[in-house]
Amino acid sequence: MENPKLCILLASYNGEKYIKEQLDSIINQTYKNWKLVIRDDGSKDSTIKILEDYSNKDSRVSWYTGENLRSAKSFMHLLIHCEKFYDYYAFADQDDVWDVDKLSVAIESLEQQG
């Protein structure tokens, strides 16, 4: 498959200390055909402002907020409610930092599996 579409799912809650670094590591990936969808669990810190800023800077970043479901249920909500026309899905934690080639290496490996 040439240039498969990838959806990255991220659940956040009060992540102001870490989430910028994670968002930067996603935006700076060498693989570019992705969309990032973030579900925030009603953060009380500046996480919402950070998400607004990033979604305004990059159209591939979108987010929404809801009641605090905690991370596992937030990820399930993301999976159930995200658009269904992606070739692959990736899960991201708000406090991770990805290597710049994480997505390209993952997709190459998946594509080799057939």
Side-chain angles (χ1 to χ4, degrees):
M1 182 179 330
E2 187 173 323
N3 203 25
K5 293 188 284 189
L6 172 73
C7 185
I8 304 164
L9 306 173
L10 190 153
S12 68
Y13 181 71
N14 290 342
E16 70 182 2
K17 292 181 184 176
Y18 309 104
I19 201 163
K20 286 182 186 180
E21 194 172 8
Q22 170 60 323
L23 294 174
D24 287 338
S25 76
I26 292 171
I27 289 170
N28 293 318
Q29 289 292 300
T30 56
Y31 190 80
K32 301 296 185 191
N33 194 19
W34 54 261
K35 168 109 174 146
L36 171 61
V37 182
I38 305 161
R39 184 188 187 283
D40 185 80
D41 270 352
S43 291
K44 306 289 188 230
D45 62 3
S46 66
T47 300
I48 298 294
K49 174 67 171 122
I50 294 166
L51 299 179
E52 287 175 351
D53 291 346
Y54 275 82
S55 65
N56 288 332
K57 287 192 295 190
D58 193 315
S59 63
R60 298 173 298 174
V61 177
S62 65
W63 67 277
Y64 64 100
T65 190
E67 66 180 294
N68 190 340
L69 299 177
R70 306 185 63 78
S71 64
K73 287 184 180 176
S74 282
F75 278 116
M76 288 305 298
H77 194 276
L78 283 161
L79 273 173
I80 291 166
H81 294 93
C82 70
E83 300 165 351
K84 305 297 184 214
F85 57 87
Y86 291 97
D87 301 303
Y88 298 110
Y89 296 85
F91 295 88
D93 289 327
Q94 68 183 8
D95 60 348
D96 286 348
V97 176
W98 288 2
D99 290 337
V100 70
D101 63 346
K102 176 185 174 77
L103 295 178
S104 60
V105 169
I107 288 183
E108 181 180 331
S109 177
L110 288 167
E111 292 289 296
Q112 288 175 358
Q113 301 298 317

